[in-house]
Amino acid sequence: MASSFVESGWTYLITNFSDFQLACLGSFLLHESVFFLSGLPFIYLERAAWFSNYKIQKKNNTTEAQDKCITRLLLYHFCVNLPVMIASYPVFRFMGMRSSLPLPSWKVMSTQILFYFIVEDFIFYWGHRILHTKWLYKHVHSVHHEYATPFGLTSEYAHPAEILFLGFATIFGPAITGPHLITLWLWMVVRVLETVEAHCGYHFPWSPSNFFPLYGGSDFHDYHHRLIYTKSGNYSSTFVYMDWLFGTDTGYRKLKAMKSEEEVGYKEN
């Protein structure tokens, strides 16, 4: 039933819109919708002081800082993201991306998306570490770190050069596999939701990191934003194993161990 519904909807799209329109404009509209619909609620949570007991940092961003973030994001998305999507379309077509029926199976899509996560995490980790070298941090990556107390929308607030640099990590996996467009869209959705959650500034009982041991999430990445660039660590985008393998999460793990000991001592008393 669900499969038939999806196929009917997809048939409507490919009948009424060209591949270029779907791959470029459709992808852009999907990205903007998912990004702002998932990120904006965290601004209102912070302003209304709702769920404050789950907020990782007690400090709040000013309304002016939040508005600045939204304004800059719209500028970056229309002037950087959209042109990149248009320019990369021939590459994806050359590598075999298609939009025609039949749709790929859920097994194929889930396998490809898992592969994309692994590839993206590897490239992102090393690219992110490079951005934390002195010169690149000062001239490029410091823009992203203007928000020491991150909220969902800050996930894509960055210098245009960084958007291109780390955006490469996101599109590399799909570019070399030439997926069906619906797989590319699904990958975009889960990647956006993941990065918004990592920057949301809240750690809820239902946060994914409470259920998936290798997933970093908001608590893991919030630590990265709180410290000065030479001491931060926690460079991975999604998982934690790269930081663990290369010892760039030692400060975070020590802090977590100290908090656990304090909680045990508090309960005993």
Side-chain angles (χ1 to χ4, degrees):
M1 185 72 175
S3 175
S4 176
F5 176 77
V6 173
E7 286 190 2
S8 297
W10 196 259
T11 301
Y12 173 82
L13 289 176
I14 61 177
T15 303
N16 291 277
F17 301 96
S18 68
D19 280 358
F20 176 81
Q21 289 173 323
L22 291 173
C24 299
L25 301 181
S27 297
F28 181 74
L29 291 174
L30 178 64
H31 172 273
E32 297 304 289
S33 300
V34 175
F35 178 70
F36 283 104
L37 286 175
S38 62
L40 282 173
F42 292 105
I43 284 183
Y44 297 111
L45 285 183
E46 192 173 68
R47 290 183 182 181
W50 294 342
F51 296 105
S52 56
N53 52 320
Y54 296 120
K55 199 169 186 302
I56 299 170
Q57 298 186 52
K58 299 307 176 186
K59 177 185 174 184
N60 288 331
N61 292 282
T62 64
T63 301
E64 290 75 19
Q66 293 173 336
D67 291 342
K68 174 190 174 184
C69 178
I70 295 172
T71 302
R72 291 282 184 89
L73 281 170
L74 290 171
L75 177 66
Y76 294 154
H77 286 181
F78 278 96
C79 297
V80 181
N81 291 16
L82 181 57
V84 167
M85 287 183 180
I86 294 172
S88 61
Y89 173 73
V91 177
F92 278 90
R93 289 289 294 175
F94 176 77
M95 297 303 294
M97 185 187 74
R98 65 181 181 87
S99 61
S100 59
L101 292 172
L103 297 176
S105 67
W106 283 106
K107 182 178 180 180
V108 169
M109 287 194 289
S110 58
T111 301
Q112 288 183 328
I113 289 172
L114 177 60
F115 172 71
Y116 300 159
F117 264 118
I118 294 171
V119 169
E120 190 276 340
D121 207 56
F122 179 84
I123 298 175
F124 186 99
Y125 175 83
W126 291 110
H128 197 183
R129 281 192 69 171
I130 291 170
L131 285 171
H132 275 266
T133 55
K134 190 173 183 179
W135 191 90
L136 282 174
Y137 183 89
K138 179 180 178 181
H139 296 282
V140 178
H141 194 49
S142 59
V143 173
H144 181 64
H145 279 268
E146 285 179 22
Y147 294 90
T149 306
F151 51 94
L153 295 182
T154 60
S155 57
E156 295 192 4
Y157 181 88
H159 190 285
E162 180 175 347
I163 295 172
L164 295 174
F165 187 39
L166 294 182
F168 171 77
T170 301
I171 67 171
F172 183 76
I176 63 174
T177 59
H180 193 283
L181 180 59
I182 198 171
T183 306
L184 184 64
W185 280 5
L186 186 57
W187 160 239
M188 181 191 304
V189 169
V190 293
R191 177 70 181 107
V192 167
L193 293 177
E194 179 274 322
T195 192
V196 167
E197 193 276 331
H199 288 81
C200 74
Y202 291 82
H203 186 72
F204 302 107
W206 55 86
S207 292
S209 56
N210 292 330
F211 305 98
F212 304 103
L214 292 179
Y215 180 82
S218 56
D219 188 61
F220 185 82
H221 194 69
D222 199 276
Y223 175 85
H224 174 82
H225 275 263
R226 295 199 300 269
L227 302 187
I228 59 174
Y229 81 96
T230 54
K231 306 287 185 180
S232 55
N234 289 20
Y235 298 114
S236 298
S237 62
T238 304
F239 307 114
V240 299
Y241 60 85
M242 288 291 289
D243 282 286
W244 180 80
L245 284 172
F246 294 98
T248 47
D249 65 345
T250 52
Y252 173 74
R253 285 191 283 115
K254 287 179 181 178
L255 179 64
K256 296 290 286 184
M258 287 174 56
K259 286 185 175 180
S260 296
E261 290 176 2
E262 289 176 359
E263 288 175 2
V264 170
Y266 178 78
K267 290 178 181 178
E268 289 178 349
N269 294 328

